[in-house]
Amino acid sequence: MEAIKFYGAEICKDCRAAHPLLQEKGIGVEYIDITASTANLRAFLALRDQEPAFDKVKAEGRIGSPAFVFPDGSVTLGVEWLQGESGCRNC
């Protein structure tokens, strides 16, 4: 399976929690730290601006990380899908 894009930041507790869950499940990711560079932040903001999955978090004034983009282009926010509660269509 192609790697999942994982947009996050080390200052985010949910992002930090996602790393061991991904490793435990053997899921390959391309981690993109949105605080590491302007290019990473721009890529995240472009995704956030166009993807309806972010509508609720934007309305609540939140950032929307962690965000996961699956190989089929679907996007999910949060770590619930890693805990078996929803989400990953290809894992």
Side-chain angles (χ1 to χ4, degrees):
M1 181 174 94
E2 193 177 328
I4 295 169
K5 286 188 178 181
F6 170 8
Y7 290 91
E10 292 305 311
I11 59 174
C12 168
K13 70 177 179 62
D14 290 336
C15 296
R16 289 191 311 270
H19 287 288
L21 292 170
L22 290 159
Q23 288 177 336
E24 177 183 303
K25 295 184 180 288
I27 300 171
V29 296
E30 174 190 350
Y31 179 64
I32 302 159
D33 184 340
I34 63 174
T35 62
S37 72
T38 303
N40 288 359
L41 180 58
R42 281 186 184 144
F44 173 72
L45 292 175
L47 173 69
R48 188 174 181 267
D49 287 348
Q50 71 171 353
E51 177 55 50
F54 289 93
D55 289 349
K56 182 179 177 189
V57 296
K58 288 191 303 188
E60 295 170 350
R62 296 187 297 127
I63 294 169
S65 67
F68 301 90
V69 181
F70 300 105
D72 68 0
S74 61
V75 175
T76 194
L77 308 179
V79 295
E80 293 80 12
W81 67 276
L82 286 167
Q83 299 163 336
E85 297 171 24
S86 66
C88 183
R89 298 178 190 143
N90 296 318
C91 297

